[in-house]
Amino acid sequence: MPGIIPYEEEELLARIAENDTAAYAYLYDTFYNTLVYFSLSIIEDQQQAEDIATESLLKLWKSPTRFDSFGKLRGYLFTLTRNASLNYLKHLRVRERSSLEISGQENPSDNYLETLVIESDLMRLIYQEINRLPVSYREVVELLYLQDVPSAEAAARLGISMENLRQRKGRAIKELKSVLLKKGVNDLFLSIFFF
Amino acid sequence: MPTDDFSLTDHAFNNKIVNLLYKQLVGEELSAEEQATLDTWINQSAENEALYHRLREEPSVHKMLQTWYGIDRNRELRKAQFLARLADQPKEDLLPGRIYLFRSKIFRYTAAAVLVLGLATIFWKYERKEGLQPGENIPLAKTAPIAPGKDGAILTLADGSQVVLDSAGNGLVAKQNGASIVLQNGQLAYNPAGSDHGATEYNVVSTPKGRQFRLVLPDGSRVWLNAASSIRYPTAFDNRERRVILQGEAYFEIAANEKVPFKVTTDKTTEIEVLGTRFNVNAYTNENAIRTTLLEGAVKLHAFQQAVILKPGQQAAVRPAKAMLTVTDKINTEQVLAWKNGLFDFEDVSIDEVMRQLERWYDIEVVYEKGIPPTRFGGEINKQNTLQDVLQILEGSNVHFQLNGRKLIVMP
C-alpha cells in the first residue's frame, strides 16, 4: 500500500490480531477510501459500497487474524470487499429477474477486478497532492473542480468576491505547479488542474 | 462466490505498478527497466491497457477524482460510526478485564501522554548529541528535516488534571459539572448538561509551540487557537456575560446572543466586548502590540480608559509599553487569518516577525548574528512545508540561515 506507515509492519499485524482500537482506526484511514472506490466501481451504488467496506473492516475485528505480512492483510480486505460486492450484484440480479425477467449485467472478469485494485490504490496517491494544499486553496479546488460548482456560486459559498476567487484559483494552480515541478511534471497532469 | 484470493496476488508487484503509473502521470522520467516492467503489465490484459489509456485523458481522470472525493466527503462521519461499532462489538473471547483496559479513556490518554514524553526524550537526547559537535557548519539541505506543526492541544480540567488532545482519538474526553466534553475530528466541543448547575468551573485549552487547535465553547462560539496560545473559559456560561481569557492568538466566531455579551480579556490592558461576530486577536507577549482585527459584526474595545468600536476591516492595536491605542483602516484580513487557513503570509513583513512565526510553528529557537540588513518579505508559503523548505524560499532575500539542531541562526 503506498503511503506512510507509522506502525512497523510486525507491530501493526500484532495489534490487529489483539483488537487494538487505535490500530483499527489506522487501518480505517489506510484502506477505507480505497475499498469503497473498489466496491463502488463494481456495484455503482455509493451507499452500498460504503457499507460493504465498513463491514469488511468490522469482519476482521470480529474474527481477528494474525497475518504474515501487510500484503496478506491487504489481500484479505480486498477479497472480503470483492466477495461482498459480487454477492450484492447477484442479489440485485435475482431481484431484477423475478420482476423484469432480464439480466443485463455480467459478472466482472477477474482481469477487470485485478486492474481495479491498481486503480483504487493509484487514486489514493493522486488525491494526496490535492490534500496537501493549504485550506483556502483546497476549498477552491474542491468547489470548482471536484464538485463542479459554478464560479459565482463558489464565491458566494466561500463569502469572497469573484476577483478573490480568481486569485485563489491562480495561486492554487501555482502552488500545485511548484510542488509538482520538483517531480518533473507532465503537461497532461497539470492540465487536470487548469479547470 | 469466486474461489481465488487477492492474498495470492503479488502485493509487491502491484505496489510497483501503482508507483510507476503515478510517476508517469506526474511526468517523472522512467528508467528503461521501469518502462519494461510497466509494459509487461500493460500487455498482461486488455483491462490493464484500458486503464493505462484512461489515465492519459483528462476527462476520465477528472471523473475518477470526483468519485474519490465523493467517498472522502463521507469518510469522517463513517469513521465515527465505525469506531462506535467497534466499541459495541468487542470480540467474545477477550478477557473482560482487557476490554475494559482498552476502552478506558484513562488508559488511552495515559498512553498518549507516555508517547509525548517519549518523543520529548528523543528530542532531548538528539539535541544533546548535536551539542557535542559545536561550530560545525552543516549546509541547510543536509540537516534533518524539521516537520511542520499540526493539530493538538492540552486540556486542563477544573481539578487541575490534564488531557492530551490530538486528532487521532475521537470520543468522550471528560465530564465537567454534568457537561460532556467530546473530541471529534480534532475539534473539542461541549455538550451542556441541561439543568445541572453547580458552581462555575473553568477549563483551559493550551497549545504548545508547533500545535494549533479548534474548539467549540459551551455557547456554540467557535475558536481557532494558534500555536503557543491558551484560552480559559467556564464549562457553562452564566446568563449575564460570557467571559474568556486569551493568551497568544485566536480567531473567534461568536454565536449571536444580544442579551449575554461575550468578552475577551487578553492581559490587564485590553478587553474586547462583542455581540455576535467574527474577529481575530493576536496577543502574543513577544509582539509589540495586541492586535484585534474585525471581519464581521462589531466589537467594542476597552484599553487605557479608552473605548473604540471597530468596523469590519479595521484593526485596533494596543501597545502596552506605550499605553497607546490606535485604529487602522482597510486591513488585509486574509493576511491576518492566513495562519488559520494553513498559510504563512509574509507580505511586507519584517524579518523578526517572520522568525517569531517560524519559532511558534516549528518549535525552534532563533538567534541573530550582527549586521542583518533590514529586510521585508513578500508572498505566501504553505505551512505544511518543512522548515528547510521555508528557509530555502526565504534565502532568496538578503539573509542566510544555519540550523543547529532546533536552533536557527540568521546571518547576513
Side-chain angles (χ1 to χ4, degrees):
Chain A
M1 185 69 224
I4 310 144
I5 300 177
Y7 283 99
E8 290 291 329
E9 182 168 333
E10 282 298 310
E11 192 198 348
L12 178 68
L13 297 173
R15 281 173 184 247
I16 283 163
E18 287 166 7
N19 276 40
D20 176 329
T21 312
Y24 277 77
Y26 169 75
L27 205 60
Y28 189 95
D29 289 339
T30 312
F31 285 113
Y32 174 76
N33 283 13
T34 315
L35 293 176
V36 179
Y37 187 94
F38 177 71
S39 175
L40 175 55
S41 306
I42 300 171
I43 65 172
E44 294 174 0
D45 178 331
Q46 184 170 336
Q47 177 131 31
Q48 282 295 339
E50 288 175 2
D51 284 346
I52 285 172
T54 308
E55 288 301 328
S56 299
L57 290 159
L58 272 174
K59 206 161 180 175
L60 185 59
W61 171 266
K62 284 183 208 163
S63 52
T65 314
R66 180 70 166 84
F67 293 95
D68 301 340
S69 68
F70 193 73
K72 289 261 169 65
L73 163 66
R74 177 176 165 285
Y76 173 80
L77 288 171
F78 268 108
T79 305
L80 282 182
T81 305
R82 176 199 60 188
N83 292 350
S85 303
L86 295 180
N87 273 343
Y88 175 77
L89 274 190
K90 207 154 86 186
H91 173 73
L92 261 191
R93 272 202 301 276
V94 170
R95 275 210 330 232
E96 274 180 13
R97 194 169 295 153
S98 59
S99 58
L100 297 165
E101 287 293 322
I102 50 159
S103 149
Q105 271 171 304
E106 293 219 0
N107 246 1
S109 70
D110 287 353
N111 275 347
Y112 173 75
L113 292 173
E114 272 170 30
T115 309
L116 203 53
V117 172
I118 301 249
E119 180 180 331
S120 308
D121 274 343
L122 181 64
M123 292 317 292
R124 181 187 175 80
L125 273 190
I126 301 175
Y127 194 75
Q128 272 177 4
E129 297 298 348
I130 297 177
N131 250 348
R132 284 202 193 102
L133 287 174
V135 182
S136 55
Y137 300 164
R138 201 171 64 220
E139 281 172 348
V140 175
V141 174
E142 282 180 1
L143 285 172
L144 295 181
Y145 181 71
L146 295 171
Q147 296 183 41
D148 278 335
V149 171
S151 303
E153 195 192 324
R157 275 208 229 168
L158 292 171
I160 58 178
S161 66
M162 286 290 280
E163 180 50 35
N164 209 321
L165 181 78
R166 261 193 296 278
Q167 264 177 20
R168 281 199 204 178
K169 183 173 141 185
R171 287 180 196 159
I173 290 168
K174 214 168 110 191
E175 173 82 20
L176 273 170
K177 259 189 186 169
S178 79
V179 171
L180 294 170
L181 270 173
K182 287 184 191 159
K183 298 180 178 159
V185 196
N186 178 338
D187 283 348
L188 182 126
F189 190 61
L190 260 187
S191 75
I192 293 173
F193 293 103
F194 285 111
F195 43 92
Chain B
M1 167 105 46
T3 48
D4 69 291
D5 197 294
F6 282 117
S7 333
L8 301 175
T9 60
D10 188 345
H11 172 56
F13 181 73
N14 268 16
N15 225 345
K16 194 186 266 171
I17 296 300
V18 168
N19 281 307
L20 290 180
L21 286 171
Y22 177 72
K23 261 178 139 178
Q24 188 156 66
L25 189 67
V26 299
E28 266 181 81
E29 200 86 21
L30 297 191
S31 70
E33 193 194 339
E34 287 175 328
Q35 188 63 53
T37 310
L38 192 59
D39 286 343
T40 309
W41 176 79
I42 292 169
N43 291 327
Q44 251 169 24
S45 74
E47 285 81 1
N48 287 354
E49 197 184 345
L51 173 60
Y52 178 76
H53 286 300
R54 273 198 296 142
L55 290 173
R56 310 190 76 101
E57 287 160 16
E58 195 277 328
S60 59
V61 176
H62 189 175
K63 187 149 176 302
M64 287 153 83
L65 274 171
Q66 286 189 326
T67 303
W68 185 275
Y69 177 71
I71 295 166
D72 200 51
R73 286 183 90 182
N74 294 347
R75 204 183 74 85
E76 285 297 340
L77 182 68
R78 284 285 189 155
K79 185 179 176 186
Q81 291 167 354
F82 172 74
L83 293 174
R85 283 180 67 185
L86 288 192
D88 287 344
Q89 294 176 328
K91 199 183 159 275
E92 301 94 33
D93 62 0
L94 276 181
L95 297 170
R98 195 156 160 207
I99 295 165
Y100 176 76
L101 187 64
F102 276 112
R103 293 171 73 188
S104 142
K105 298 293 167 204
I106 294 166
F107 172 79
R108 275 169 49 191
Y109 288 108
T110 311
V114 167
L115 188 68
V116 169
L117 278 176
L119 285 176
T121 317
I122 291 165
F123 281 131
W124 181 71
K125 280 186 177 163
Y126 178 73
E127 286 196 12
R128 280 185 40 112
K129 207 172 148 202
E130 286 280 321
L132 291 176
Q133 322 146 348
E136 231 177 293
N137 277 358
I138 307 159
L140 212 51
K142 296 245 171 80
T143 52
I146 293 188
K150 55 184 181 185
D151 285 349
I154 292 164
L155 168 67
T156 307
L157 299 169
D159 65 359
S161 61
Q162 295 194 324
V163 181
V164 177
L165 307 170
D166 64 38
S167 49
N170 274 337
L172 184 71
V173 173
K175 288 217 169 217
Q176 286 282 279
N177 221 358
S180 43
I181 311 173
V182 182
L183 187 63
Q184 178 70 47
N185 306 336
Q187 173 176 292
L188 196 70
Y190 285 75
N191 295 331
S195 57
D196 187 6
H197 267 297
T200 307
E201 290 189 337
Y202 292 90
N203 284 178
V204 179
V205 169
S206 50
T207 49
K209 281 179 173 181
R211 292 287 183 277
Q212 58 184 34
F213 200 71
R214 287 174 300 149
L215 67 154
V216 181
L217 295 176
D219 68 333
S221 296
R222 309 213 293 158
V223 181
W224 282 252
L225 203 60
N226 203 347
S229 302
S230 80
I231 182 166
R232 181 178 186 269
Y233 50 89
T235 56
F237 289 112
D238 62 35
N239 44 25
R240 281 166 295 132
E241 63 171 25
R242 300 173 280 171
R243 183 184 290 276
V244 301
I245 299 173
L246 172 73
Q247 289 176 336
E249 180 165 30
Y251 166 72
F252 293 88
E253 289 184 1
I254 302 302
N257 184 346
E258 289 181 20
K259 294 200 183 97
V260 188
F262 193 101
K263 291 178 181 171
V264 184
T265 315
T266 54
D267 57 354
K268 291 194 175 65
T269 58
T270 311
E271 181 182 291
I272 304 149
E273 185 181 334
V274 295
L275 296 170
T277 185
R278 304 191 292 133
F279 62 101
N280 189 78
V281 182
N282 180 332
Y284 286 115
T285 47
N286 61 354
E287 301 289 345
N288 61 13
I290 296 161
R291 292 191 171 83
T292 305
T293 313
L294 185 67
L295 285 100
E296 194 184 295
V299 303
K300 192 172 179 183
L301 205 103
H302 304 268
F304 310 115
Q305 284 90 43
Q306 294 177 60
V308 290
I309 292 178
L310 289 186
K311 287 191 229 99
Q314 284 188 327
Q315 181 180 77
V318 176
R319 291 187 169 76
K322 297 179 184 164
M324 213 166 78
L325 167 63
T326 52
V327 174
T328 315
D329 285 328
K330 289 187 189 147
I331 286 292
N332 177 355
T333 53
E334 268 208 52
Q335 182 172 22
V336 172
L337 288 187
W339 69 267
K340 169 185 156 280
N341 295 329
L343 294 170
F344 295 113
D345 189 333
F346 291 148
E347 197 59 49
D348 197 29
V349 170
S350 68
I351 177 130
D352 38 333
E353 204 178 327
V354 168
M355 290 304 140
R356 285 196 297 272
Q357 290 193 36
L358 297 186
E359 276 185 326
R360 288 178 205 127
W361 188 237
Y362 293 97
D363 189 13
I364 52 166
E365 187 199 338
V366 178
V367 292
Y368 299 86
E369 278 194 353
K370 283 198 182 112
I372 308 289
T375 309
R376 294 192 92 76
F377 292 91
E380 295 175 355
I381 302 175
N382 188 344
K383 272 170 84 177
Q384 288 310 312
N385 281 313
T386 63
L387 175 65
Q388 279 82 351
D389 281 345
V390 174
L391 295 177
Q392 223 162 32
I393 296 169
L394 295 178
E395 275 197 328
S397 313
N398 285 328
V399 285
H400 299 90
F401 304 101
Q402 195 188 316
L403 198 56
N404 210 337
R406 296 188 93 82
K407 187 186 218 174
L408 179 68
I409 302 155
V410 185
M411 302 173 302

